[in-house]
């Protein structure tokens, strides 16, 4: 078995994790003092694949200059991130399905 | 399973908070000319204060902490014939600025939509995960 299923699994895991953070950011778009959070996708994916860790580091990622109330969430940037994460997730699930279908076909021996 | 649907709950708190904000803005606009209130004096503009509601380290919802009154002074308009005019002929109108309220209204409805989009995207991701089983 190759590594692709494992990598796809990590991508899906990371996307879900990121989506949770983005959901919190969007919910708190008007909360005074709230700081926008994110993860470094590339770095975390590398760590997850190489070391197999499943705990990710959350970084503060201000998407805008702080408002008068200290909030750093920019709803447009956050929504773009949501779309990005969703597309990545969809691609991963699609690839995973294809991979599984291929394995299934191989097991069936082309019947 | 609890964690699995937590993002939906987080977005739901966002919907709820923005809805309360919309209600408050609606009250402000409705009372833009109310010179009398049960508490006495003109209507005072109200604002909602949001506070982060922590489910866990990453899932942080939002809650309405309290509804505060705007401390700005009422708008004085010279209208000696008005029944609520003071001895100098000034009427104290609410400190509501329609422009400000409209901008807050747009901001609140945009934030509401964003939370809704978030719910849909999470739902979509979830369904795609389930679809892997169909292969």
């Amino acid at each position: 078995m190759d590594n692709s299923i494992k990598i796809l699994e990590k991508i899906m895991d990371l996307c879900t994790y990121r989506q949770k953070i983005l959901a919190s950011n969007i919910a708190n778009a008007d909360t005074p003092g709230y700081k926008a959070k994110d993860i470094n996708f590339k770095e975390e994916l590398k760590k997850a694949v190489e070391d197999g860790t499943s705990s990710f580091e959350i970084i503060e990622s201000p998407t805008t200059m702080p408002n008068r109330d200290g909030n750093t969430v920019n709803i447009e940037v956050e929504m773009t991130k949501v779309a990005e994460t969703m597309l990545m997730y969809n691609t991963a699930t699609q690839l995973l399905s294809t991979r599984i279908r291929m394995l299934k076909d191989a097991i069936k021996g082309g019947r | 399973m609890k964690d699995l649907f937590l993002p939906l709950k987080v977005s739901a708190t966002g919907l709820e908070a923005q809805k309360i904000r919309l209600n408050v803005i609606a009250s402000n606009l409705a009372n833009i000319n109310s010179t009398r209130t049960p508490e006495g004096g003109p209507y005072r503009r109200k604002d909602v204060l949001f506070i982060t509601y922590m489910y866990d380290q990453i899932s942080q919802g939002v809650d309405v902490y309290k509804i505060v009154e705007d401390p700005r002074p009422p708008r004085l308009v010279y209208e000696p014939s008005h029944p609520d005019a003071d001895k100098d002929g000034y009427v104290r109108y609410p400190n509501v600025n329609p422009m400000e309220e409209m901008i807050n209204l747009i901001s609140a409805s945009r934030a509401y939509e964003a939370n809704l989009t978030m719910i849909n995207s999470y739902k979509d991701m979830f369904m795609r995960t389930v679809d892997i089983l169909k292969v």
Side-chain angles (χ1 to χ4, degrees):
Chain A
M1 286 275 265
D2 61 61
N3 218 5
S4 65
I5 289 186
K6 206 182 129 205
I7 295 173
L8 289 172
E9 186 212 309
K10 292 292 180 198
I11 292 176
M12 285 165 71
D13 202 17
L14 213 49
C15 282
T16 317
Y17 193 82
R18 190 179 191 208
Q19 208 71 318
K20 278 185 190 176
I21 296 174
L22 297 178
S24 303
N25 286 348
I26 290 164
N28 285 287
D30 291 312
T31 313
Y34 183 87
K35 303 274 181 268
K37 293 171 188 68
D38 201 354
I39 49 168
N40 190 334
F41 200 91
K42 226 166 132 186
E43 290 290 309
E44 297 300 327
L45 182 62
K46 207 172 139 199
K47 263 201 287 179
V49 172
E50 281 173 4
D51 318 335
T53 51
S54 54
S55 64
F56 311 118
E57 190 196 343
I58 305 169
I59 51 169
E60 259 183 29
S61 131
T63 54
T64 183
M65 289 284 287
N67 293 345
R68 225 170 10 161
D69 58 5
N71 189 301
T72 60
V73 180
N74 179 338
I75 207 114
E76 287 81 13
V77 177
E78 297 297 326
M79 292 319 282
T80 316
K81 284 182 180 176
V82 170
E84 198 183 291
T85 312
M86 221 177 124
L87 288 173
M88 179 98 77
Y89 191 86
N90 292 354
T91 315
T93 46
Q94 204 68 60
L95 285 171
L96 188 58
S97 298
T98 314
R99 193 81 194 88
I100 293 170
R101 204 176 302 117
M102 279 163 72
L103 281 173
K104 222 168 144 187
D105 285 348
I107 292 166
K108 281 202 235 156
R111 266 184 295 133
Chain B
M1 280 307 255
K2 194 176 111 263
D3 275 15
L4 207 53
F5 298 114
L6 211 48
L8 295 178
K9 260 190 208 156
V10 167
S11 295
T13 62
L15 288 179
E16 176 73 15
Q18 296 299 340
K19 194 190 75 189
I20 294 172
R21 187 163 166 228
L22 281 172
N23 287 344
V24 169
I25 294 168
S27 307
N28 287 344
L29 282 171
N31 284 292
I32 200 154
N33 285 322
S34 305
T35 51
R36 286 180 196 201
T37 51
E39 310 91 65
Y43 174 86
R44 290 188 158 276
R45 179 178 172 272
K46 285 171 185 61
D47 218 341
V48 287
L49 261 188
F50 292 150
I51 190 166
T52 308
Y53 180 84
M54 300 266 266
Y55 283 105
D56 60 31
Q57 206 52 42
I58 50 166
S59 293
Q60 305 181 333
V62 64
D63 218 350
V64 173
Y65 174 58
K66 66 175 169 190
I67 294 173
V68 288
E69 277 190 357
D70 194 323
R72 281 179 290 184
R75 192 156 43 93
L76 286 177
V77 179
Y78 186 65
E79 252 181 88
S81 58
H82 197 286
D84 287 331
D86 62 12
K87 60 176 177 13
D88 299 320
Y90 284 99
V91 183
R92 292 161 76 228
Y93 275 105
N95 53 356
V96 180
N97 177 351
M99 298 303 163
E100 204 181 300
E101 297 305 321
M102 291 318 283
I103 286 167
N104 284 337
L105 184 71
I106 293 168
S107 157
S109 65
R110 284 276 181 277
Y112 189 90
E113 275 178 42
N115 279 296
L116 210 54
T117 309
M118 195 68 226
I119 290 177
N120 281 329
S121 92
Y122 195 77
K123 239 166 64 182
D124 191 64
M125 277 168 67
F126 194 91
M127 290 318 289
R128 275 173 198 272
T129 319
V130 176
D131 281 347
I132 295 176
L133 291 174
K134 291 186 191 160
V135 174

